[in-house]
Amino acid sequence: MLKLVDLKKTFHPGTPNEVRALQGVSLTIEEGSFVVVIGTNGSGKSTLLNAVAGTFLVDQGKIELAGQDVTGWPEHRRAKFIGRVFQNPYMGSAPHLSIAENLALSARRGEFRGLNWALKRRQLEELQQQVREMGLGMENRLTNLIGSLSGGQRQSLTLLMASLKRPDLLLLDEHTAALDPKSADQVIQLTENLVRKQKLTTLMVTHSMQQAATLGDRLIMMVRGQIRYDFQGAAKKRLTPEAILSKFEEVRRMDLLDESAAELLRQRYV
Amino acid sequence: MSLLIGALTMGLMLSLLAMGVLISFRILAFRDLTVDGSITLGGAVAGMLIAQGHSPILSTFAAMLCGALAGCVTGILATRLKINGLLSGILVMTALYSVNLRVMGKSNIPLMNETTLFSMVQGWAKSEDRWTFLIWQAPLQDVFVLLQLCVMIPVVALIVWAYFQTEHGLSMRATGDNPDMIRALGVNVDWMTVAGLGLSNGLVALSGALLVQYLGFADVQMGIGMVVLGFASVIIGESLVRSRSLGLLLIGAIMGSLLFRLLVAIALRWGLNPNDLKLVTALFVLAALVMPMVLARISRPGKTQTLEVAPDA
């Protein structure tokens, strides 16, 4: 379970580049829930994910994960609970290590790493089995370097790596945005399968209305560092890509109205 | 012949330096300049302890430990204190110059009749004994030292290789290859870098300790330019093995170091002024770094335009 209480984060405070990326975000994600986050550019959706992952520490608020207050924990310590897939398909794996070595590294996510052999034969067979189950045809190429794979293949592997040791929370940061449509479909398919099979608690940021409508059991729309809409249960099931788009349009118009109204007031009274 | 044996002996001892540089420059992708100071530190500590009559094995280990410590300091400056990696190395290297003088008490310690790591095998022959191979002759003692190193260096290389096959070692390789990824997998990248620089400089200091015992003196100036020398060996090694596999890279570092010493020996034989050696080494590294780019331009003249744009991309 993930519990966020009134998260606030400002980048470059006190400078002309000040960005108030999170302006009081509270959110509770139940065990086994698959939450999709959408939002316009700069709405803070990726910032939210990074705040949970610990890429930076928040200015204010509380992050509770798997029953522990992790607010002050550095990124590598939170990794014990969190599996992550990045937007950049090259960010989630080490190119000059083999597929097997990458998998072996992820199998010990958040655990002590001592002087045991990293690749034991028995474990290797296990890994091979898991790669086979993914159906990507890579099970016989485990000694190949990751760098020799395509972006889609690497992203699929990163997904497997993130869930090899069952995470308490799976974070997906627009993980299909940089892929070609076919690979994106494949990775989404894989995501669905993994999440369903392992009943993973998942927080996924996406830019695709299609994915937002069809995936997950809860949809959150962020605007200007705050959660504007939160669709759950039946309301989420009813959502179509068009409905989501019209919500975006609504948000845009309201914001326009806000600004023009502010301008009107300024002209009249200042 | 004795020139050849001398070159190979030096090459083997300096291959530890090359392995250290391989770890920092290639595996951790950290341009560590501590090396110039830590190789001298290794020599200074070993020299000082041996001159005081301590066991050479103990002295060599102590030297290695001190070098490792110096590397860790560089790592802490670079990671915990967020100082630029190059600058961290330069700071520690500069500080080490004074430290080394303090350790030695003077700028040069002779080790004339002390017991060194090589004393035992040297004792198997008298100093006037000669080893004859066809028409060439060489002092038998030197041959024994070379043989001892032929056992020692591969053992060290094997230990380093084995370490990089462990969970900890593999995480270290991933730290250099993709820090974002390994951080997300729960590894403290900062401390992993510190540990890697410690290992690297430990090997470098070991190299310095052996060097001092072989040459028979420790000198505060002995480290100047060593990082470039080590890097040259690594580059030669890489072009020899043409592989990213760690085992081959380690073998490459040894071969590169040997080949480099042979080239130096030949150049000196042909009348190269020893004073020019570092200039030549630097030019060699420069050439090795620039060559691939030049070759790419020559082989694909039509692509020159894109190549010129490339650095911005």
Side-chain angles (χ1 to χ4, degrees):
Chain A
M1 196 185 84
L2 173 71
K3 196 171 165 194
L4 309 178
V5 185
D6 197 30
L7 291 191
K8 286 186 181 160
K9 177 71 188 180
T10 305
F11 293 110
H12 318 294
T15 70
N17 296 326
E18 183 176 284
V19 180
R20 294 201 286 158
L22 295 179
Q23 304 181 25
V25 174
S26 295
L27 177 68
T28 303
I29 298 178
E30 299 300 332
E31 193 70 50
S33 170
F34 185 166
V35 180
V36 181
V37 185
I38 54 170
T40 48
N41 284 337
S43 62
K45 52 190 195 305
S46 283
T47 309
L48 179 68
L49 224 66
N50 288 335
V52 173
T55 311
F56 51 80
L57 297 180
V58 291
D59 300 334
Q60 200 184 310
K62 192 173 154 195
I63 303 171
E64 215 174 272
L65 185 56
Q68 302 225 40
D69 182 356
V70 301
T71 315
W73 288 23
E75 195 176 351
H76 64 89
R77 220 177 134 199
R78 294 188 202 185
K80 192 174 168 193
F81 304 123
I82 299 177
R84 265 167 98 186
V85 184
F86 305 95
Q87 178 174 0
N88 181 348
Y90 302 110
M91 207 162 152
S93 44
H96 294 110
L97 300 184
S98 70
I99 297 177
E101 285 170 329
N102 272 278
L103 289 170
L105 281 170
S106 67
R108 292 194 66 80
R109 174 172 50 77
E111 283 174 41
F112 175 75
R113 294 163 199 266
L115 294 179
N116 288 321
W117 294 121
L119 286 172
K120 296 181 210 83
R121 184 161 302 167
R122 195 157 39 90
Q123 187 197 8
L124 210 59
E125 281 161 14
E126 234 169 75
L127 291 174
Q128 195 167 21
Q129 184 57 35
Q130 268 160 316
V131 174
R132 186 175 294 126
E133 278 171 22
M134 276 204 323
L136 293 168
M138 284 187 269
E139 58 271 15
N140 295 321
R141 298 198 278 150
L142 291 188
T143 51
N144 287 16
L145 296 188
I146 286 268
S148 65
L149 302 179
S150 72
Q153 289 173 316
R154 277 181 80 164
Q155 204 66 322
S156 304
L157 269 178
T158 310
L159 201 56
L160 177 65
M161 285 167 63
S163 59
L164 211 49
K165 191 185 141 215
R166 190 179 185 280
D168 294 274
L169 176 68
L170 179 63
L171 294 180
L172 307 171
D173 186 4
E174 299 199 43
H175 67 310
T176 61
L179 303 179
D180 63 86
K182 191 162 161 269
S183 307
D185 278 349
Q186 212 168 36
V187 169
I188 283 298
Q189 198 74 53
L190 211 61
T191 310
E192 258 190 304
N193 289 344
L194 274 176
V195 170
R196 193 181 310 131
K197 201 162 26 166
Q198 297 195 44
K199 297 188 176 58
L200 297 175
T201 314
T202 306
L203 187 59
M204 170 172 121
V205 170
T206 184
H207 57 110
S208 151
M209 298 303 135
Q210 188 63 41
Q211 288 174 13
T214 53
L215 288 177
D217 46 32
R218 184 171 172 191
L219 180 88
I220 281 165
M221 189 190 279
M222 289 193 67
V223 178
R224 293 189 180 180
Q226 285 177 323
I227 294 177
R228 184 68 69 90
Y229 295 105
D230 184 352
F231 302 96
Q232 302 190 44
K236 165 71 175 81
K237 283 213 181 75
R238 277 202 303 275
L239 278 179
T240 59
E242 292 74 27
I244 300 174
L245 263 180
S246 70
K247 281 286 172 208
F248 267 114
E249 187 58 27
E250 195 176 299
V251 164
R252 198 178 64 84
R253 246 181 284 133
M254 263 164 61
D255 284 358
L256 273 181
L257 189 67
D258 282 358
E259 271 169 32
S260 54
E263 186 62 25
L264 196 73
L265 291 172
R266 206 176 300 134
Q267 278 173 3
R268 192 162 296 176
Y269 295 109
V270 180
Chain B
M1 192 67 195
S2 61
L3 191 77
L4 175 71
I5 287 177
L8 291 178
T9 308
M10 286 291 281
L12 277 175
M13 286 189 294
L14 287 171
S15 69
L16 294 171
L17 164 77
M19 282 184 230
V21 172
L22 177 75
I23 291 172
S24 56
F25 275 57
R26 285 297 189 241
I27 294 179
L28 286 173
F30 188 105
R31 277 123 197 95
D32 177 28
L33 300 187
T34 319
V35 171
D36 277 18
S38 58
I39 193 166
T40 318
L41 181 65
V45 170
M48 187 265 299
L49 288 176
I50 288 173
Q52 285 178 358
H54 291 282
S55 132
I57 296 178
L58 200 78
S59 309
T60 307
F61 268 108
M64 210 171 145
L65 211 66
C66 289
L69 213 64
C72 291
V73 171
T74 303
I76 289 171
L77 292 187
T79 58
R80 306 306 292 183
L81 305 183
K82 311 252 179 266
I83 296 168
N84 172 292
L86 274 176
L87 186 58
S88 305
I90 292 172
L91 286 177
V92 174
M93 177 189 80
T94 307
L96 280 179
Y97 190 85
S98 298
V99 172
N100 292 334
L101 272 173
R102 282 276 179 182
V103 167
M104 298 203 299
K106 51 192 173 185
S107 60
N108 192 300
I109 301 180
L111 300 173
M112 272 315 152
N113 298 308
E114 315 289 349
T115 314
T116 69
L117 271 184
F118 305 117
S119 296
M120 198 177 80
V121 293
Q122 280 169 338
W124 292 348
K126 286 200 256 333
S127 63
E128 65 273 15
D129 285 350
R130 285 285 178 276
W131 176 67
T132 316
F133 179 73
L134 301 180
I135 54 164
W136 297 288
Q137 281 200 339
L140 196 54
Q141 284 188 339
D142 291 358
V143 177
F144 283 153
V145 169
L146 179 61
L147 289 177
Q148 183 189 356
L149 284 168
C150 282
V151 176
M152 254 177 88
I153 303 300
V155 167
V156 174
L158 199 68
I159 293 172
V160 171
W161 176 84
Y163 163 71
F164 280 110
Q165 310 301 313
T166 65
E167 287 165 359
H168 198 270
L170 192 60
S171 310
M172 187 179 288
R173 289 169 66 194
T175 299
D177 204 16
N178 188 345
D180 290 322
M181 167 254 196
I182 199 67
R183 197 181 294 116
L185 292 179
V187 170
N188 188 331
V189 169
D190 287 358
W191 288 119
M192 201 46 104
T193 306
V194 172
L197 290 178
L199 175 63
S200 159
N201 283 287
L203 286 172
V204 170
L206 176 61
S207 175
L210 293 184
L211 219 53
V212 160
Q213 296 176 58
Y214 172 73
L215 295 174
F217 65 89
D219 191 282
V220 78
Q221 307 269 9
M222 67 185 267
I224 295 176
M226 281 301 187
V227 73
V228 178
L229 202 142
F231 191 49
S233 307
V234 170
I235 293 177
I236 298 176
E238 280 173 344
S239 62
L240 285 177
V241 299
R242 293 186 174 280
S243 162
R244 292 284 312 201
S245 135
L246 186 83
L248 286 178
L249 282 178
L250 282 170
I251 293 172
I254 298 175
M255 295 197 320
S257 179
L258 286 172
L259 191 60
F260 188 77
R261 286 325 297 188
L262 282 177
L263 291 176
V264 167
I266 292 169
L268 291 175
R269 186 72 179 264
W270 280 353
L272 175 76
N273 185 340
N275 291 340
D276 294 338
L277 203 54
K278 298 219 189 297
L279 174 67
V280 173
T281 309
L283 287 177
F284 170 81
V285 170
L286 180 69
L289 292 178
V290 174
M291 258 334 207
M293 201 167 71
V294 175
L295 286 178
R297 279 193 194 198
I298 292 170
S299 64
R300 287 186 302 169
K303 293 276 175 99
T304 313
Q305 214 54 35
T306 39
L307 268 171
E308 273 169 3
V309 183
D312 285 333

